[in-house]
Amino acid sequence: MIITIDGPAGAGKSSIAREVATDLGFAFLDTGAMYRAITLGAMRRGIAFDDVLALVDYAQQANLSWKDDRIDLDEQDISVEIRTPAVTSNIRYIADPPEIRGCLTMQQRRIAEGRNLVTEGRDQGTEVFPEAECKVFLTASPEERAKRRHLQLQKAGKESTYEEVLMAQNQRDLEDRMRPVGRLRAALDAVVIQTDGMTSCDVKQAVLGIVRSNLQAISQPDLTTDAAGQSAG
C-alpha cells in the first residue's frame, strides 16, 4: 500500500509522514530531502544552476541514503544543512527541470516497488504515485508554516529571522505552484487537512484515521457489485 502526504513547505509533512510510517510499520520516503540533498551537493560542487545537463548528471550519480531522521550525501550527514534558507532559495533549480524531476521520480518509484510505504513531497499523489491507495494533502497558513520552520532552524542552532524564513517560503510557494511539471496541488482524490491550531499529535491521528478508513474500504467487498453479479447469474 502506498500512502502519499503532499503539501507546501513547512506544513509538517516530513515529521507526520515519518510518525505515521512508524505507527503502521511502513517504510518512509522523504522526497523533499532528496531534492534538497541534490541542491546542496550542486552548491558544494559549484555546478552552475543553469547547466541542466550537469545537474542531471550529478543527480544520477549522487550517493543518497537515509535512516530515520538522518539523510546522508556521499556518506556525510546533511540532515540539518539541507533545511537552511540558502538551500531553500536554490532548490527550484533542481525541482523545476523536468529532466531532473524525471530522474528522481524513477528513483522514488524503484524504492517503493513491492513495499508498504508512506511518502511525502509536493507531487507524490499527483505525478509520482497517481494510483496510490491513500492520499493526504497537509497545509497551513503561510505565517504558521514559517513559524514552525523558524523554530526548527533555531533548535538546530541555525541563524535566521522569522522574516527571512517567511520570505524564502513565500518565494518557494510561488515557484512550486507555477512549476510546469510536478507543481504543488492536491490530487483530486486527496483528503485535505488544514493544520492551523492543530498539534502534531492531532494531525497524526487525523492522517491515521484517513488511512484506516481507506484500509477498511479496500478490505470490504463491494456489496452492490456482488448483488448485481448474483442476480445476473
Side-chain angles (χ1 to χ4, degrees):
M1 179 180 191
I2 302 294
I3 301 168
T4 64
I5 301 181
D6 290 317
K13 304 182 301 298
S14 295
S15 58
I16 294 300
R18 188 177 288 108
E19 292 177 12
V20 168
T22 298
D23 281 17
L24 294 173
F26 282 23
F28 166 67
L29 178 61
D30 184 347
T31 64
M34 294 176 68
Y35 283 97
R36 287 178 173 273
I38 299 300
T39 302
L40 177 62
M43 292 167 60
R44 287 180 170 179
R45 294 195 175 201
I47 301 174
F49 282 119
D50 61 353
D51 189 345
V52 176
L53 290 179
L55 292 173
V56 171
D57 184 62
Y58 175 65
Q60 291 174 334
Q61 297 182 23
N63 179 19
L64 292 177
S65 62
W66 59 87
K67 182 179 180 181
D68 299 328
D69 292 333
R70 171 173 171 156
I71 180 168
D72 287 5
L73 173 64
D74 299 327
E75 300 183 352
Q76 180 184 359
D77 185 1
I78 57 168
S79 307
V80 173
E81 195 169 355
I82 61 172
R83 306 294 176 182
T84 61
V87 171
T88 299
S89 65
N90 286 315
I91 196 173
R92 69 184 184 277
Y93 298 111
I94 301 301
D96 285 353
E99 301 93 336
I100 301 178
R101 295 198 72 85
C103 172
L104 292 181
T105 291
M106 292 304 295
Q107 288 191 38
Q108 291 157 21
R109 288 174 178 166
R110 282 196 296 269
I111 292 169
E113 189 173 354
R115 307 173 75 183
N116 288 319
L117 184 83
V118 180
T119 178
E120 66 84 20
R122 301 292 192 281
D123 62 350
Q124 296 298 286
T126 54
E127 302 288 344
V128 183
F129 300 106
E131 303 302 321
E133 294 90 340
C134 183
K135 301 177 184 179
V136 176
F137 190 88
L138 296 183
T139 189
S141 67
E143 295 77 14
E144 177 67 19
R145 291 186 285 118
K147 182 169 63 176
R148 294 172 184 172
R149 179 56 57 82
H150 184 232
L151 181 61
Q152 182 184 41
L153 291 172
Q154 281 185 321
K155 289 181 177 179
K158 295 294 181 179
E159 294 286 338
S160 65
T161 66
Y162 166 80
E163 289 75 19
E164 289 172 337
V165 173
L166 179 61
M167 184 180 300
Q169 175 189 274
N170 287 343
Q171 180 63 32
R172 177 75 190 280
D173 285 350
L174 177 62
E175 292 161 358
D176 283 344
R177 289 193 298 267
M178 299 300 290
R179 184 177 297 124
V181 177
R183 65 184 176 88
L184 174 66
R185 69 189 191 281
L188 293 177
D189 53 347
V191 178
V192 179
I193 303 177
Q194 182 77 26
T195 66
D196 287 78
M198 297 177 69
T199 66
S200 60
C201 183
D202 292 337
V203 178
K204 183 182 79 169
Q205 292 305 318
V207 173
L208 285 172
I210 294 166
V211 172
R212 289 172 183 135
S213 294
N214 277 268
L215 285 170
Q216 187 175 28
I218 292 171
S219 64
Q220 286 182 341
D222 188 332
L223 299 180
T224 303
T225 301
D226 286 352
Q230 289 173 1
S231 61

